Coordinates of all heavy atoms in Angstrom, one line a residue:
N1 N 65.1 218.0 -16.7 CA 65.6 218.2 -18.1 C 66.6 219.4 -18.1 O 66.2 220.5 -17.7 CB 64.4 218.4 -18.9 CG 64.7 218.6 -20.4 OD1 65.8 219.1 -20.8 ND2 63.8 218.2 -21.2
F2 N 67.8 219.1 -18.5 CA 68.9 220.1 -18.4 C 68.6 221.2 -19.4 O 68.9 222.4 -19.1 CB 70.2 219.4 -18.8 CG 71.4 220.4 -18.6 CD1 71.8 220.8 -17.3 CD2 72.1 220.8 -19.7 CE1 72.8 221.6 -17.1 CE2 73.1 221.7 -19.5 CZ 73.5 222.1 -18.2
R3 N 68.0 220.9 -20.5 CA 67.7 222.0 -21.5 C 66.7 223.0 -20.9 O 66.9 224.2 -21.1 CB 67.2 221.4 -22.8 CG 66.7 222.4 -23.8 CD 66.3 221.8 -25.1 NE 67.6 221.8 -25.8 CZ 67.7 221.2 -27.0 NH1 66.7 220.5 -27.5 NH2 68.9 221.2 -27.6
E4 N 65.7 222.5 -20.2 CA 64.7 223.4 -19.6 C 65.4 224.2 -18.5 O 65.1 225.4 -18.3 CB 63.5 222.6 -19.0 CG 62.6 222.0 -20.1 CD 61.9 223.1 -20.9 OE1 61.4 224.0 -20.2 OE2 61.9 223.0 -22.1
F5 N 66.3 223.6 -17.7 CA 67.0 224.3 -16.7 C 67.8 225.5 -17.3 O 67.7 226.6 -16.7 CB 67.9 223.3 -16.0 CG 68.8 224.0 -14.9 CD1 68.2 224.4 -13.7 CD2 70.1 224.1 -15.1 CE1 69.0 225.0 -12.7 CE2 70.9 224.7 -14.2 CZ 70.4 225.1 -13.0
I6 N 68.5 225.3 -18.3 CA 69.3 226.3 -19.0 C 68.4 227.4 -19.5 O 68.6 228.6 -19.4 CB 70.2 225.8 -20.1 CG1 71.2 224.8 -19.5 CG2 70.9 226.9 -20.8 CD1 72.1 225.4 -18.4
K7 N 67.3 227.0 -20.1 CA 66.3 227.9 -20.6 C 65.8 228.9 -19.5 O 65.7 230.1 -19.7 CB 65.1 227.2 -21.3 CG 64.0 228.0 -21.8 CD 62.9 227.2 -22.4 CE 61.7 228.0 -22.7 NZ 60.5 227.1 -23.1
Y8 N 65.4 228.3 -18.4 CA 64.9 229.1 -17.2 C 66.0 230.0 -16.7 O 65.7 231.2 -16.5 CB 64.5 228.2 -16.1 CG 63.1 227.6 -16.3 CD1 62.8 226.3 -16.2 CD2 62.0 228.5 -16.6 CE1 61.6 225.8 -16.4 CE2 60.7 228.0 -16.8 CZ 60.5 226.6 -16.7 OH 59.3 226.1 -16.9
L9 N 67.2 229.6 -16.6 CA 68.3 230.4 -16.1 C 68.6 231.6 -17.1 O 68.9 232.7 -16.6 CB 69.6 229.6 -16.0 CG 69.7 228.7 -14.8 CD1 71.1 228.0 -14.7 CD2 69.4 229.5 -13.5
S10 N 68.5 231.4 -18.4 CA 68.7 232.4 -19.3 C 67.7 233.5 -19.2 O 68.0 234.7 -19.6 CB 68.7 231.9 -20.8 OG 67.5 231.5 -21.2
V11 N 66.5 233.3 -18.7 CA 65.5 234.3 -18.5 C 66.1 235.4 -17.6 O 65.8 236.6 -17.8 CB 64.2 233.7 -17.9 CG1 63.3 234.8 -17.5 CG2 63.5 232.9 -19.0
F12 N 66.8 235.0 -16.6 CA 67.3 236.0 -15.6 C 68.4 236.9 -16.2 O 68.6 238.0 -15.7 CB 67.9 235.3 -14.3 CG 66.7 234.7 -13.5 CD1 66.6 233.4 -13.3 CD2 65.8 235.6 -12.9 CE1 65.5 232.9 -12.6 CE2 64.8 235.1 -12.1 CZ 64.6 233.7 -11.9
T13 N 69.1 236.4 -17.2 CA 70.1 237.3 -17.9 C 69.6 237.9 -19.1 O 70.0 239.0 -19.4 CB 71.4 236.4 -18.2 OG1 71.0 235.3 -19.0 CG2 72.0 236.0 -16.9
N14 N 68.7 237.3 -19.9 CA 68.3 237.8 -21.2 C 66.8 238.2 -21.3 O 66.4 238.8 -22.2 CB 68.6 236.8 -22.3 CG 70.0 236.4 -22.3 OD1 70.9 237.2 -22.2 ND2 70.3 235.1 -22.5
G15 N 66.0 237.8 -20.3 CA 64.6 238.0 -20.4 C 64.2 239.5 -20.0 O 64.9 240.2 -19.4
S16 N 62.9 239.8 -20.3 CA 62.3 241.1 -20.0 C 62.0 241.1 -18.5 O 62.1 240.0 -17.8 CB 61.0 241.3 -20.7 OG 60.1 240.4 -20.3
E17 N 61.8 242.2 -17.9 CA 61.4 242.3 -16.5 C 60.2 241.5 -16.2 O 60.1 240.8 -15.2 CB 61.2 243.8 -16.1 CG 62.4 244.6 -16.0 CD 63.4 244.1 -14.9 OE1 63.0 243.8 -13.8 OE2 64.6 244.0 -15.3
E18 N 59.2 241.5 -17.1 CA 58.0 240.7 -16.9 C 58.3 239.2 -16.8 O 57.8 238.5 -16.0 CB 57.0 241.0 -17.9 CG 55.6 240.3 -17.7 CD 54.6 240.8 -18.7 OE1 54.7 241.9 -19.2 OE2 53.6 240.0 -18.8
D19 N 59.2 238.8 -17.8 CA 59.6 237.4 -17.8 C 60.3 237.0 -16.5 O 60.1 235.9 -15.9 CB 60.5 237.1 -19.0 CG 59.8 237.1 -20.3 OD1 58.5 237.0 -20.3 OD2 60.5 237.3 -21.3
K20 N 61.2 237.9 -16.0 CA 61.9 237.6 -14.8 C 60.9 237.5 -13.6 O 61.1 236.6 -12.7 CB 62.9 238.7 -14.5 CG 64.1 238.7 -15.5 CD 65.0 239.9 -15.3 CE 66.0 240.0 -16.4 NZ 66.9 241.2 -16.2
I21 N 60.0 238.4 -13.5 CA 59.0 238.4 -12.4 C 58.2 237.2 -12.5 O 57.9 236.5 -11.5 CB 58.1 239.7 -12.5 CG1 58.9 240.9 -12.1 CG2 56.9 239.5 -11.6 CD1 58.3 242.2 -12.4
N22 N 57.7 236.8 -13.7 CA 56.9 235.6 -13.8 C 57.6 234.3 -13.4 O 57.1 233.5 -12.7 CB 56.3 235.5 -15.2 CG 55.3 236.5 -15.6 OD1 54.6 237.0 -14.7 ND2 55.1 236.8 -16.8
L23 N 58.9 234.2 -13.8 CA 59.7 233.1 -13.5 C 60.0 233.0 -12.0 O 59.9 232.0 -11.3 CB 61.0 233.0 -14.3 CG 61.9 231.8 -14.0 CD1 61.1 230.5 -14.2 CD2 63.1 231.9 -14.8
S24 N 60.3 234.2 -11.4 CA 60.6 234.2 -10.0 C 59.3 233.8 -9.2 O 59.4 233.0 -8.2 CB 61.0 235.6 -9.6 OG 62.2 236.0 -10.1
F25 N 58.2 234.3 -9.6 CA 56.9 233.9 -8.9 C 56.7 232.4 -9.0 O 56.4 231.7 -8.1 CB 55.7 234.7 -9.5 CG 54.5 234.4 -8.7 CD1 54.2 235.2 -7.6 CD2 53.6 233.5 -9.1 CE1 53.1 234.9 -6.8 CE2 52.4 233.3 -8.4 CZ 52.2 234.0 -7.2
K26 N 56.9 231.9 -10.2 CA 56.7 230.4 -10.5 C 57.7 229.6 -9.6 O 57.3 228.6 -9.0 CB 57.0 230.1 -11.9 CG 56.7 228.7 -12.3 CD 56.8 228.6 -13.8 CE 56.4 227.2 -14.3 NZ 56.5 227.0 -15.7
L27 N 58.9 230.1 -9.4 CA 59.9 229.3 -8.6 C 59.6 229.4 -7.1 O 59.8 228.5 -6.4 CB 61.3 229.9 -8.9 CG 61.9 229.6 -10.3 CD1 63.2 230.4 -10.4 CD2 62.1 228.1 -10.4
F28 N 59.2 230.6 -6.6 CA 59.1 230.8 -5.2 C 57.7 230.6 -4.7 O 57.5 230.6 -3.4 CB 59.6 232.2 -4.8 CG 61.1 232.3 -5.1 CD1 61.6 233.1 -6.1 CD2 62.0 231.6 -4.3 CE1 62.9 233.2 -6.4 CE2 63.4 231.6 -4.6 CZ 63.8 232.5 -5.6
S29 N 56.7 230.6 -5.5 CA 55.3 230.4 -5.0 C 55.0 229.0 -4.6 O 55.7 228.0 -5.1 CB 54.3 230.9 -6.0 OG 54.3 230.0 -7.1
D30 N 54.1 228.8 -3.7 CA 53.6 227.5 -3.3 C 53.0 226.8 -4.5 O 52.1 227.4 -5.2 CB 52.6 227.6 -2.2 CG 52.2 226.2 -1.7 OD1 51.3 225.7 -2.3 OD2 52.7 225.8 -0.7
H31 N 53.4 225.6 -4.9 CA 53.0 225.0 -6.1 C 51.5 224.6 -6.0 O 50.9 224.5 -7.1 CB 53.9 223.8 -6.4 CG 55.3 224.1 -6.7 ND1 55.7 224.9 -7.8 CD2 56.4 223.9 -5.9 CE1 57.0 225.1 -7.7 NE2 57.4 224.5 -6.6
K32 N 51.0 224.4 -4.9 CA 49.6 224.0 -4.7 C 48.6 225.2 -4.8 O 47.6 225.2 -5.5 CB 49.3 223.2 -3.5 CG 50.0 221.8 -3.5 CD 49.7 221.1 -2.2 CE 50.4 219.8 -2.2 NZ 50.3 219.1 -0.9
T33 N 49.0 226.2 -4.0 CA 48.1 227.4 -3.9 C 48.4 228.5 -4.8 O 47.7 229.4 -5.0 CB 48.2 228.0 -2.5 OG1 49.5 228.5 -2.2 CG2 47.8 227.0 -1.4
K34 N 49.7 228.5 -5.4 CA 50.1 229.5 -6.3 C 50.3 230.9 -5.6 O 50.1 231.9 -6.2 CB 49.2 229.7 -7.6 CG 49.0 228.4 -8.3 CD 50.3 227.9 -8.9 CE 50.0 226.7 -9.8 NZ 51.0 225.7 -9.8
L35 N 50.6 230.8 -4.3 CA 50.8 232.1 -3.6 C 52.2 232.1 -3.0 O 52.8 231.1 -2.8 CB 49.8 232.1 -2.4 CG 48.3 232.2 -2.8 CD1 47.5 232.0 -1.5 CD2 48.0 233.4 -3.5
I36 N 52.7 233.3 -2.7 CA 53.9 233.5 -1.9 C 53.5 233.9 -0.6 O 52.8 234.9 -0.4 CB 54.9 234.5 -2.6 CG1 55.3 234.0 -4.0 CG2 56.1 234.7 -1.7 CD1 56.2 234.9 -4.7
Y37 N 53.9 233.2 0.4 CA 53.6 233.5 1.8 C 54.5 234.5 2.5 O 55.7 234.6 2.1 CB 53.5 232.2 2.6 CG 52.4 231.3 2.1 CD1 52.7 230.2 1.3 CD2 51.0 231.6 2.4 CE1 51.7 229.4 0.8 CE2 50.0 230.8 1.9 CZ 50.4 229.7 1.1 OH 49.4 228.9 0.6
E38 N 54.0 235.2 3.5 CA 54.8 236.2 4.2 C 56.1 235.7 4.7 O 57.2 236.3 4.4 CB 53.9 236.7 5.3 CG 54.5 237.9 6.1 CD 53.6 238.3 7.2 OE1 52.4 238.6 6.9 OE2 54.1 238.4 8.3
N39 N 56.1 234.6 5.4 CA 57.3 234.1 6.0 C 58.3 233.7 4.9 O 59.5 233.9 5.0 CB 57.0 232.9 6.9 CG 58.2 232.5 7.7 OD1 58.8 233.4 8.4 ND2 58.6 231.3 7.8
D40 N 57.9 233.1 3.8 CA 58.7 232.7 2.7 C 59.4 234.0 2.1 O 60.6 233.9 1.7 CB 58.0 232.0 1.6 CG 57.5 230.6 2.1 OD1 58.1 230.0 3.0 OD2 56.5 230.1 1.5
M41 N 58.6 235.0 1.9 CA 59.2 236.3 1.4 C 60.2 236.8 2.3 O 61.3 237.3 1.9 CB 58.0 237.3 1.2 CG 58.5 238.6 0.6 SD 59.1 238.5 -1.0 CE 57.7 238.3 -1.9
I42 N 60.0 236.8 3.6 CA 61.0 237.3 4.6 C 62.3 236.5 4.5 O 63.4 237.1 4.4 CB 60.4 237.2 6.0 CG1 59.3 238.3 6.2 CG2 61.5 237.5 7.1 CD1 58.5 238.1 7.5
L43 N 62.2 235.2 4.5 CA 63.3 234.3 4.4 C 64.1 234.5 3.1 O 65.3 234.6 3.1 CB 63.0 232.9 4.5 CG 62.4 232.5 5.9 CD1 61.9 231.0 5.9 CD2 63.5 232.6 7.0
M44 N 63.4 234.7 2.0 CA 64.0 234.9 0.7 C 64.8 236.2 0.7 O 65.9 236.3 0.2 CB 63.0 234.9 -0.4 CG 63.5 235.1 -1.8 SD 62.3 234.9 -3.1 CE 60.9 235.7 -2.5
L45 N 64.2 237.3 1.2 CA 64.8 238.6 1.2 C 66.0 238.6 2.1 O 67.0 239.2 1.8 CB 63.8 239.7 1.5 CG 62.8 240.0 0.5 CD1 61.7 240.9 1.0 CD2 63.4 240.5 -0.8
I46 N 65.9 238.0 3.3 CA 67.0 237.9 4.2 C 68.2 237.2 3.5 O 69.4 237.6 3.6 CB 66.6 237.3 5.5 CG1 65.7 238.2 6.3 CG2 67.9 236.9 6.3 CD1 65.1 237.6 7.5
D47 N 67.9 236.1 2.8 CA 68.9 235.4 2.1 C 69.6 236.2 1.0 O 70.8 236.2 0.8 CB 68.3 234.1 1.5 CG 69.3 233.1 1.0 OD1 70.3 232.9 1.7 OD2 69.2 232.7 -0.2
I48 N 68.8 237.0 0.3 CA 69.3 237.8 -0.8 C 70.3 238.9 -0.2 O 71.4 239.1 -0.7 CB 68.2 238.5 -1.6 CG1 67.5 237.5 -2.4 CG2 68.7 239.6 -2.5 CD1 66.2 237.9 -3.0
V49 N 69.8 239.5 0.9 CA 70.7 240.5 1.6 C 72.0 239.9 2.1 O 73.0 240.5 2.1 CB 69.9 241.2 2.7 CG1 70.8 242.1 3.5 CG2 68.8 242.1 2.0
S50 N 71.9 238.6 2.6 CA 73.1 238.0 3.2 C 74.2 237.8 2.2 O 75.3 237.7 2.6 CB 72.7 236.7 3.8 OG 72.4 235.7 2.9
V51 N 73.9 237.7 0.9 CA 75.0 237.5 -0.1 C 75.5 238.8 -0.7 O 76.4 238.8 -1.6 CB 74.5 236.5 -1.2 CG1 74.2 235.2 -0.6 CG2 73.4 237.1 -2.0
D52 N 75.0 239.9 -0.2 CA 75.5 241.2 -0.7 C 76.9 241.5 -0.2 O 77.2 241.8 1.0 CB 74.6 242.3 -0.2 CG 75.1 243.7 -0.6 OD1 75.7 243.9 -1.7 OD2 74.9 244.7 0.2
K53 N 77.9 241.3 -1.1 CA 79.3 241.4 -0.7 C 79.7 242.8 -0.3 O 80.6 243.0 0.4 CB 80.2 240.9 -1.8 CG 80.0 239.4 -2.1 CD 81.0 238.9 -3.1 CE 80.9 237.5 -3.5 NZ 80.1 236.6 -2.7
S54 N 79.0 243.8 -0.9 CA 79.4 245.2 -0.6 C 78.9 245.7 0.8 O 79.4 246.7 1.3 CB 78.8 246.2 -1.7 OG 77.4 246.2 -1.5
K55 N 78.0 244.9 1.3 CA 77.4 245.2 2.7 C 76.6 246.5 2.7 O 76.2 247.0 3.7 CB 78.5 245.2 3.8 CG 79.2 243.9 3.9 CD 80.1 243.8 5.1 CE 81.0 242.7 5.0 NZ 80.8 241.5 5.6
F56 N 76.4 247.1 1.5 CA 75.6 248.3 1.4 C 74.2 248.1 1.8 O 73.7 248.9 2.6 CB 75.7 248.9 0.0 CG 74.9 250.1 -0.2 CD1 75.4 251.3 0.2 CD2 73.7 250.1 -0.9 CE1 74.6 252.5 0.1 CE2 72.9 251.2 -1.0 CZ 73.4 252.4 -0.6
I57 N 73.6 247.1 1.3 CA 72.2 246.8 1.6 C 72.0 246.4 3.1 O 71.1 246.9 3.7 CB 71.6 245.7 0.7 CG1 71.6 246.2 -0.8 CG2 70.2 245.3 1.1 CD1 71.2 245.1 -1.8
K58 N 73.0 245.7 3.6 CA 72.9 245.2 5.0 C 73.0 246.4 5.9 O 72.5 246.3 7.1 CB 74.1 244.3 5.3 CG 74.0 243.0 4.7 CD 75.2 242.1 5.1 CE 75.4 241.0 4.2 NZ 76.6 240.2 4.4
T59 N 73.6 247.5 5.5 CA 73.6 248.7 6.3 C 72.3 249.3 6.6 O 72.0 249.8 7.7 CB 74.5 249.8 5.6 OG1 75.8 249.3 5.3 CG2 74.6 251.1 6.5
F60 N 71.3 249.1 5.7 CA 70.0 249.7 5.8 C 68.9 248.6 6.2 O 67.9 249.0 6.7 CB 69.6 250.4 4.6 CG 70.5 251.6 4.3 CD1 71.5 251.4 3.3 CD2 70.4 252.8 4.9 CE1 72.4 252.5 3.0 CE2 71.3 253.8 4.7 CZ 72.2 253.7 3.7
F61 N 69.2 247.4 5.7 CA 68.1 246.4 5.9 C 68.7 245.1 6.5 O 69.3 244.3 5.9 CB 67.6 246.0 4.5 CG 66.9 247.2 3.8 CD1 67.5 247.8 2.7 CD2 65.7 247.6 4.2 CE1 66.9 248.8 2.1 CE2 65.1 248.7 3.6 CZ 65.7 249.3 2.5
G62 N 68.4 245.0 7.8 CA 68.7 243.8 8.6 C 67.4 242.9 8.6 O 66.4 243.3 8.1
K63 N 67.5 241.9 9.4 CA 66.4 241.0 9.6 C 65.2 241.7 10.1 O 64.0 241.5 9.6 CB 66.8 239.8 10.5 CG 65.7 238.8 10.7 CD 66.2 237.7 11.7 CE 65.0 236.7 11.9 NZ 65.4 235.7 12.8
D64 N 65.3 242.6 11.1 CA 64.2 243.2 11.7 C 63.5 244.2 10.7 O 62.3 244.2 10.6 CB 64.6 244.0 12.9 CG 65.0 243.1 14.1 OD1 64.7 241.9 14.1 OD2 65.8 243.6 14.9
E65 N 64.3 244.9 9.9 CA 63.7 245.9 8.9 C 63.0 245.1 7.8 O 61.9 245.5 7.4 CB 64.8 246.8 8.3 CG 65.4 247.8 9.3 CD 66.5 247.2 10.3 OE1 66.9 246.0 10.1 OE2 66.8 247.8 11.3
I66 N 63.6 244.0 7.4 CA 63.0 243.2 6.3 C 61.6 242.7 6.8 O 60.6 242.7 6.1 CB 63.9 242.1 5.8 CG1 65.1 242.8 5.0 CG2 63.2 241.1 4.9 CD1 66.2 241.8 4.7
T67 N 61.7 242.1 8.0 CA 60.5 241.5 8.6 C 59.4 242.6 8.7 O 58.2 242.4 8.3 CB 60.8 240.9 10.0 OG1 61.8 239.9 9.8 CG2 59.5 240.3 10.6
Y68 N 59.7 243.8 9.2 CA 58.8 244.9 9.4 C 58.2 245.3 8.0 O 57.0 245.4 7.9 CB 59.5 246.1 10.0 CG 58.6 247.3 10.2 CD1 57.7 247.4 11.2 CD2 58.7 248.3 9.2 CE1 56.9 248.5 11.3 CE2 57.9 249.4 9.3 CZ 57.0 249.5 10.4 OH 56.2 250.6 10.5
I69 N 59.0 245.4 7.0 CA 58.5 245.9 5.7 C 57.6 244.8 5.1 O 56.5 245.2 4.6 CB 59.7 246.2 4.8 CG1 60.5 247.4 5.2 CG2 59.3 246.3 3.3 CD1 61.8 247.6 4.6
V70 N 58.0 243.6 5.1 CA 57.2 242.5 4.5 C 55.9 242.4 5.3 O 54.8 242.3 4.7 CB 57.9 241.2 4.5 CG1 57.0 240.1 4.0 CG2 59.1 241.3 3.5
Q71 N 55.9 242.3 6.6 CA 54.7 242.2 7.4 C 53.7 243.4 7.1 O 52.5 243.1 6.9 CB 55.0 242.1 8.9 CG 55.6 240.8 9.3 CD 56.0 240.7 10.7 OE1 56.2 241.7 11.4 NE2 56.1 239.5 11.2
N72 N 54.2 244.6 7.0 CA 53.4 245.7 6.8 C 52.8 245.7 5.3 O 51.7 246.1 5.1 CB 54.1 247.0 7.1 CG 54.1 247.3 8.6 OD1 53.1 247.2 9.2 ND2 55.2 247.7 9.1
T73 N 53.6 245.2 4.4 CA 53.2 245.2 3.0 C 52.1 244.1 2.9 O 51.0 244.4 2.3 CB 54.4 244.8 2.1 OG1 55.4 245.7 2.2 CG2 53.9 244.6 0.7
F74 N 52.2 243.0 3.5 CA 51.2 242.0 3.5 C 49.9 242.5 4.2 O 48.8 242.2 3.7 CB 51.6 240.6 4.1 CG 52.3 239.7 3.1 CD1 53.6 240.0 2.7 CD2 51.7 238.7 2.6 CE1 54.3 239.2 1.8 CE2 52.3 237.8 1.6 CZ 53.6 238.1 1.3
K75 N 50.1 243.2 5.3 CA 48.9 243.7 6.0 C 48.2 244.7 5.2 O 46.9 244.7 5.1 CB 49.4 244.4 7.3 CG 48.2 244.9 8.2 CD 48.6 245.8 9.3 CE 49.4 245.1 10.4 NZ 49.7 246.0 11.5
M76 N 48.9 245.6 4.5 CA 48.3 246.6 3.7 C 47.6 246.0 2.5 O 46.4 246.4 2.1 CB 49.4 247.6 3.1 CG 48.8 248.7 2.4 SD 50.1 250.0 1.9 CE 51.3 249.0 1.1
I77 N 48.2 245.0 1.9 CA 47.5 244.3 0.8 C 46.2 243.6 1.2 O 45.2 243.6 0.6 CB 48.5 243.3 0.1 CG1 49.6 244.0 -0.6 CG2 47.7 242.3 -0.8 CD1 50.7 243.2 -1.1
D78 N 46.3 242.9 2.4 CA 45.1 242.3 3.0 C 44.0 243.3 3.2 O 42.8 243.1 2.9 CB 45.4 241.6 4.3 CG 46.2 240.3 4.1 OD1 46.2 239.8 2.9 OD2 46.8 239.8 5.0
Q79 N 44.3 244.5 3.8 CA 43.3 245.5 4.0 C 42.7 246.0 2.7 O 41.5 246.2 2.7 CB 44.0 246.7 4.8 CG 44.3 246.4 6.2 CD 45.1 247.4 6.9 OE1 45.7 248.3 6.3 NE2 45.2 247.4 8.2
Q80 N 43.5 246.2 1.7 CA 43.0 246.7 0.4 C 42.1 245.7 -0.2 O 41.0 246.0 -0.7 CB 44.2 247.0 -0.5 CG 44.9 248.3 -0.1 CD 46.1 248.5 -1.0 OE1 46.5 247.7 -1.8 NE2 46.7 249.7 -0.8
Y81 N 42.5 244.4 -0.1 CA 41.7 243.3 -0.6 C 40.3 243.3 0.1 O 39.3 243.2 -0.5 CB 42.4 242.0 -0.5 CG 41.6 240.8 -1.0 CD1 41.5 240.5 -2.3 CD2 40.9 240.0 0.0 CE1 40.7 239.5 -2.8 CE2 40.1 238.9 -0.5 CZ 40.0 238.7 -1.8 OH 39.3 237.6 -2.2
N82 N 40.4 243.3 1.5 CA 39.2 243.3 2.3 C 38.3 244.5 2.0 O 37.0 244.4 2.0 CB 39.5 243.2 3.8 CG 40.1 241.8 4.1 OD1 39.8 240.8 3.4 ND2 40.9 241.8 5.1
N83 N 38.8 245.7 1.8 CA 38.0 246.9 1.5 C 37.4 246.8 0.2 O 36.2 247.2 0.0 CB 38.9 248.1 1.6 CG 39.3 248.5 3.0 OD1 38.7 248.0 4.0 ND2 40.3 249.2 3.2
T84 N 38.1 246.2 -0.8 CA 37.5 246.0 -2.1 C 36.4 245.0 -2.2 O 35.4 245.2 -2.9 CB 38.6 245.6 -3.1 OG1 39.7 246.6 -3.1 CG2 38.1 245.5 -4.5
N85 N 36.5 244.0 -1.4 CA 35.6 242.9 -1.4 C 34.5 242.9 -0.3 O 33.7 242.0 -0.2 CB 36.3 241.5 -1.3 CG 37.1 241.3 -2.5 OD1 36.7 241.5 -3.7 ND2 38.4 240.9 -2.3
N86 N 34.4 244.0 0.4 CA 33.3 244.2 1.4 C 32.3 245.2 0.9 O 32.3 246.0 0.2 CB 33.9 244.6 2.7 CG 34.6 243.5 3.4 OD1 34.3 242.3 3.2 ND2 35.6 243.8 4.2

């Protein structure tokens, strides 16, 4: 439905930060599990950095740095979750 498509796109330009986060999660999460997986996050961030025309972000964050940050973030979240639930 084209109307729904335009409605979703307008969230990114006119919506609140919470609306943008919620829509991004809905778009990028696995539709069955409702989770965003580590590898998907890495690929998404690498893709975002690759379109940076100023190359400013690329100066600091290449594939290795993004992979390291995401893997450590997921590991830290897993540890916190496990500590809370044990």
Side-chain angles (χ1 to χ4, degrees):
N1 182 329
F2 187 69
R3 175 174 271 172
E4 288 296 313
F5 175 73
I6 297 300
K7 179 182 167 187
Y8 281 128
L9 284 183
S10 70
V11 168
F12 288 112
T13 56
N14 302 319
S16 68
E17 286 298 313
E18 186 173 337
D19 290 340
K20 292 175 187 176
I21 291 168
N22 288 336
L23 180 57
S24 296
F25 187 82
K26 187 175 182 179
L27 290 172
F28 295 111
S29 65
D30 182 279
H31 298 292
K32 291 179 183 175
T33 63
K34 306 294 187 216
L35 298 172
I36 296 178
Y37 296 102
E38 183 178 311
N39 195 51
D40 294 335
M41 180 65 73
I42 291 169
L43 293 173
M44 181 174 42
L45 291 172
I46 289 171
D47 190 49
I48 290 168
V49 169
S50 73
V51 297
D52 175 34
K53 293 185 183 350
S54 71
K55 302 189 192 262
F56 177 76
I57 296 173
K58 290 180 195 176
T59 303
F60 300 101
F61 299 106
K63 181 180 179 181
D64 293 338
E65 291 80 14
I66 290 170
T67 300
Y68 175 80
I69 291 167
V70 172
Q71 286 176 340
N72 281 315
T73 301
F74 273 78
K75 184 193 292 184
M76 185 173 55
I77 291 168
D78 286 342
Q79 288 172 346
Q80 289 175 351
Y81 177 80
N82 290 333
N83 290 339
T84 302
N85 292 312
N86 287 332

